[in-house]
Amino acid sequence: MSRFVKQGMNLVAGALVLLIWSQAQATEVPFLEPAVAKGNLPPVTERLPKTPRVVELGEDQELGKYGGRLHTLIGNPSDVKLMFVYGYSRLVGYSPDLQLEADILESFDVMEGRKFTLKLREGHKWSDGAPFTSEDFRYWWEDVAGNIKLFPAGPPAELLVDGKFPIVEFPDPETVIYTWDAPNPNFLPLLAGASPLLIYSPAHYLKKFHGKYIDVSKLNKIQKIKMKSWASEHNRKDNLYKFDNPNLPTLQPWRNMTSPPATRFVGERNPYFHRIDTEGRQLPYIDELIFNVSEGKLISAKAASGDTDLQARGIQLQDATFLKENEERSNYKTLLWPTVRGSHFALFPNLNAEDEMWRGYMRDVRFRRALSLAIDREEINDTLFFGLAIEGNNSVQEQSDFYSEELRTKWAEYDPDTANELLDEMGLTDRDEDGHRLLPDGEKFVIVIETAGETTEQSDILELINEAWQEVGISVFTKPSQRAVFRNRIFSGETVMSVWAGFENGIPSAESSPATRAPTNQISYQWPKWGQYHETKGKSGEPADIPEAILLYDLYDKWLKSTDTEEKAAIWREMLDIHAEQQFTIGIVGGILQPIIVKNTLKNVPEEAIFNWNPGAQFGVYHPDLFWFDK
């Protein structure tokens, strides 16, 4: 059955559910019945939009039962944002097969790739019962993003197309229109992200903290003094993604009820959530989420002891055997979902390194190829990943239509002889009595590779890389630091090489943005200053000055302007070929299996799935609002 036929059948089924729902009294959620009985909440038919979103069950999912608390472990309090991520309520979102579809929106219409008409659901409400309308979009665009005190640099750069912001209109309470002069293929995917572009705010709540809407004449002296810092107070309150302000209304299936600092966060069901199942029952099925903060290195042990109902955070493939051994005792199962980054682990030669000598090496394609060829990926795979990983470049995984063996293996198969030839060709022929290559000043050739020091896995991989590179006369010195310091050193050019995960989206389609494959972002550790130059429109950073990098940027610009799917696909293939040939980043292994701990009583968690941040929101695309407990 084609995807389009299936979508058509789903639309018909959804329309039938809405018809039945509109003609009958929907079943009340048991958890909310006391509040409804006391008059503290209206009945469910008055809480839902006029046209709720009908969520179709996945292949292995079934209609569920209400109730229960889902416990999970997080490594620090800031991870409370995972309630927002996992809830995955977005204006538009990805389906499990990674197709964009309306979610919070009732529908969207795209004209010429540049005019986006967003239709809201009539009667949709925030979690506190206030109407969710185009006023929330207007408030964000005009009073938040358009206010220099709240957004000193202006609206988010993601909304720029050819250096211009869109024209934004609000013709009625259920309609928002974004119009650019040229196509903006990034707009909808940005709205659908795990950490999405948020173009709305709860105006009714935030206006109380906005200088424009506060009546100064009614304030006392102390309040007038505090008014001077209204912008910082507004920013502290306006944390839809961080999810750390319990008073801030939300559109997610659960609302955080706990203020930080805390070691236990409670997410309680949103009485006004806009989704229903195919029987017309309001989602989510589960009443509460409990996020318990734990030291990261203890999460695996606690999961094995049964302290969690659903867990991926803080556990790795290396924990799988230990976790499997404790399944029966702790009443859970261990699923293994493949990750789909371009590479689980990658090296980033800094082509913008400040040191002239090292910058010269990093910019020499022979050097990058030699380093890649000198890595024994099979040994790394067998030693650390039980031979289950996919060895090769930081490119795309087998699930992508763009995948080819050449993209995975080009300059990425273990070949120390060719690596030695390339290094000799560069003139790096001087060696000491132990065969170690020497720098021009006579010092040993040692590459300092910097890490954020967040996992022992990185250290283990770098140790194996060091052993392999010594066969071609090069050593590694690992330098860990805190993430903020790590990034700042890369941005400034102090770092010559770093370690991070590969490209986030290893399963792109023609419509997926190839922005990360071009020098467009400072957080591309292989060319941070080129990325900064693009982000700041030339105000800081440096323009790209390597032909292949300039070509990548031009191809990305061509992709942005194209509205033809075949042309977009051809652009993607050319960009991927350039990366494999140039080795701007050096991938090691990908397709790592992510252990997922699932309590035996927790239903509707897919047996087979992918685990990815964006697209995917980890659990988000599989609808945790459909998960339920069979007790």
Side-chain angles (χ1 to χ4, degrees):
M1 183 184 298
S2 76
R3 173 169 57 85
F4 299 103
V5 172
K6 183 179 178 182
Q7 286 179 339
M9 292 176 66
N10 286 344
L11 286 172
V12 172
L16 182 60
V17 171
L18 287 176
L19 178 62
I20 295 170
W21 176 81
S22 66
Q23 293 176 343
Q25 181 73 19
T27 303
E28 186 55 78
V29 179
F31 182 83
L32 300 176
E33 283 177 348
V36 173
K38 293 177 182 178
N40 296 330
L41 273 180
V44 64
T45 50
E46 296 178 21
R47 299 199 305 270
L48 285 163
K50 182 178 179 180
T51 54
R53 182 189 172 185
V54 181
V55 182
E56 300 290 332
L57 296 169
E59 187 174 342
D60 299 318
Q61 293 179 323
E62 58 185 319
L63 291 167
K65 302 173 185 176
Y66 282 126
R69 290 179 165 184
L70 188 149
H71 293 78
T72 192
L73 301 168
I74 55 177
N76 59 71
S78 67
D79 284 344
V80 70
K81 65 180 176 286
L82 292 177
M83 284 191 195
F84 182 95
V85 175
Y86 296 165
Y88 200 58
S89 179
R90 304 291 185 268
L91 293 175
V92 297
Y94 288 103
S95 65
D97 60 354
L98 303 183
Q99 303 299 315
L100 285 172
E101 55 190 12
D103 179 20
I104 292 173
L105 296 179
E106 183 172 338
S107 64
F108 58 90
D109 180 72
V110 184
M111 183 181 298
E112 300 177 346
R114 63 182 189 84
K115 182 176 181 180
F116 298 79
T117 301
L118 313 179
K119 297 297 290 186
L120 308 186
R121 298 179 187 274
E122 184 181 345
H124 194 176
K125 297 178 176 65
W126 289 95
S127 58
D128 62 356
F132 173 64
T133 70
S134 61
E135 170 61 12
D136 298 303
F137 291 77
R138 186 214 61 79
Y139 177 76
W140 180 84
W141 177 247
E142 296 180 359
D143 297 327
V144 179
N147 188 292
I148 194 170
K149 290 188 176 181
L150 296 175
F151 272 68
E158 294 96 324
L159 291 173
L160 286 168
V161 174
D162 290 342
K164 297 180 181 178
F165 286 113
I167 294 173
V168 188
E169 302 168 89
F170 318 94
D172 61 60
E174 278 81 45
T175 308
V176 179
I177 303 172
Y178 270 71
T179 307
W180 284 268
D181 292 339
N184 185 0
N186 288 328
F187 185 51
L188 295 180
L190 284 168
L191 300 181
S195 173
L197 174 65
L198 291 164
I199 58 173
Y200 57 86
S201 290
H204 69 285
Y205 170 79
L206 289 171
K207 283 179 179 178
K208 295 179 290 185
F209 310 101
H210 196 296
K212 176 180 175 181
Y213 297 95
I214 297 173
D215 186 348
V216 179
S217 66
K218 296 182 179 179
L219 302 181
N220 59 38
K221 289 184 179 180
I222 295 177
Q223 289 173 326
K224 288 179 180 178
I225 293 173
K226 288 183 177 180
M227 262 292 293
K228 295 179 180 179
S229 59
W230 72 264
S232 59
E233 176 70 6
H234 187 285
N235 284 335
R236 280 195 297 271
K237 302 288 187 183
D238 188 11
N239 290 331
L240 282 173
Y241 173 70
K242 290 183 179 179
F243 224 58
D244 58 358
N245 177 8
N247 295 318
L248 184 69
T250 184
L251 300 175
Q252 300 305 311
W254 296 275
R255 48 182 180 165
N256 174 31
M257 308 297 288
T258 309
S259 298
T263 58
R264 182 178 183 270
F265 293 88
V266 177
E268 188 177 287
R269 67 181 312 121
N270 173 3
Y272 297 91
F273 192 52
H274 68 286
R275 297 179 193 158
I276 58 176
D277 68 13
T278 53
E279 286 192 346
R281 295 182 298 163
Q282 187 184 29
L283 296 171
Y285 290 134
I286 292 173
D287 290 329
E288 292 183 325
L289 303 184
I290 309 297
F291 279 32
N292 292 304
V293 180
S294 170
E295 189 174 347
K297 63 184 179 181
L298 298 178
I299 288 179
S300 177
K302 288 186 175 182
S305 297
D307 291 352
T308 179
D309 298 308
L310 181 67
Q311 193 68 40
R313 199 75 162 181
I315 56 178
Q316 300 174 332
L317 181 60
Q318 291 84 346
D319 301 316
T321 302
F322 166 66
L323 292 169
K324 292 287 289 183
E325 290 172 348
N326 288 277
E327 285 183 334
E328 186 174 349
R329 177 176 67 91
S330 297
N331 193 34
Y332 66 80
K333 58 187 174 184
T334 308
L335 306 178
L336 295 173
W337 291 0
T339 57
V340 289
R341 286 184 175 133
S343 183
H344 176 70
F345 178 101
L347 299 175
F348 292 79
N350 191 346
L351 277 65
N352 301 146
E354 281 292 301
D355 186 282
E356 185 177 352
M357 178 192 72
W358 284 110
R359 184 170 66 252
Y361 290 145
M362 298 301 156
R363 291 188 175 205
D364 193 320
V365 68
R366 296 170 297 178
F367 186 68
R368 302 193 299 270
R369 289 170 178 168
L371 294 185
S372 182
L373 291 168
I375 296 171
D376 190 344
R377 291 172 175 82
E378 184 177 4
E379 181 185 21
I380 292 171
N381 190 7
D382 290 341
T383 303
L384 299 176
F385 302 104
F386 311 109
L388 299 174
I390 298 171
E391 302 151 17
N393 283 318
N394 180 22
S395 185
V396 294
Q397 296 299 324
E398 292 180 351
Q399 296 94 331
S400 172
D401 291 338
F402 299 136
Y403 176 82
S404 72
E405 283 294 305
E406 185 177 23
L407 284 176
R408 184 176 70 84
T409 61
K410 194 166 192 176
W411 301 108
E413 296 183 293
Y414 187 48
D415 187 353
D417 292 338
T418 301
N420 271 313
E421 291 173 8
L422 289 168
L423 294 170
D424 290 344
E425 185 182 315
M426 290 175 61
L428 299 172
T429 54
D430 291 343
R431 296 179 182 245
D432 63 16
E433 62 273 13
D434 297 321
H436 202 288
R437 293 181 190 272
L438 300 176
L439 292 166
D441 62 3
E443 293 293 319
K444 283 189 173 184
F445 203 113
V446 179
I447 301 177
V448 178
I449 301 181
E450 303 199 22
T451 81
E454 295 176 348
T455 68
T456 57
E457 182 182 84
Q458 289 185 352
S459 302
D460 294 339
I461 294 175
L462 287 174
E463 181 57 37
L464 292 171
I465 289 175
N466 180 46
E467 292 176 9
W469 281 359
Q470 287 185 0
E471 296 298 314
V472 297
I474 292 175
S475 293
V476 169
F477 179 81
T478 303
K479 182 176 181 178
S481 58
Q482 292 184 337
R483 184 181 294 197
V485 176
F486 166 77
R487 284 184 168 173
N488 287 335
R489 285 181 55 80
I490 294 171
F491 299 159
S492 68
E494 295 175 86
T495 299
V496 298
M497 187 176 289
S498 60
V499 164
W500 199 251
F503 294 120
E504 183 62 41
N505 188 358
I507 50 172
S509 66
E511 302 300 327
S512 304
S513 174
T516 57
R517 267 72 171 188
T520 61
N521 194 300
Q522 185 181 27
I523 303 182
S524 294
Y525 297 151
Q526 70 274 32
W527 45 46
K529 293 185 180 179
W530 296 346
Q532 186 184 51
Y533 186 85
H534 170 77
E535 287 185 308
T536 62
K537 301 296 179 288
K539 294 179 182 178
S540 58
E542 302 169 0
D545 56 1
I546 290 180
E548 294 80 6
I550 295 172
L551 177 56
L552 285 171
Y553 184 83
D554 291 342
L555 286 167
Y556 171 60
D557 188 59
K558 184 179 178 182
W559 180 90
L560 282 174
K561 292 179 170 60
S562 175
T563 56
D564 182 79
T565 300
E566 290 186 7
E567 183 181 29
K568 285 175 176 285
I571 292 168
W572 256 106
R573 290 189 173 92
E574 187 173 355
M575 294 179 78
L576 291 170
D577 286 341
I578 291 170
H579 273 275
E581 186 68 30
Q582 289 295 313
Q583 295 291 311
F584 286 127
T585 64
I586 301 172
I588 311 298
V589 290
I592 306 299
L593 297 176
Q594 172 64 50
I596 310 291
I597 298 300
V598 184
K599 213 70 163 189
N600 289 332
T601 53
L602 182 61
K603 304 301 179 182
N604 281 358
V605 181
E607 294 283 333
E608 296 182 5
I610 61 169
F611 190 78
N612 198 54
W613 178 256
N614 197 32
Q618 297 181 342
F619 296 115
V621 294
Y622 303 109
H623 280 286
D625 50 311
L626 286 176
F627 297 174
W628 60 282
F629 285 104
D630 186 13
K631 292 185 179 178

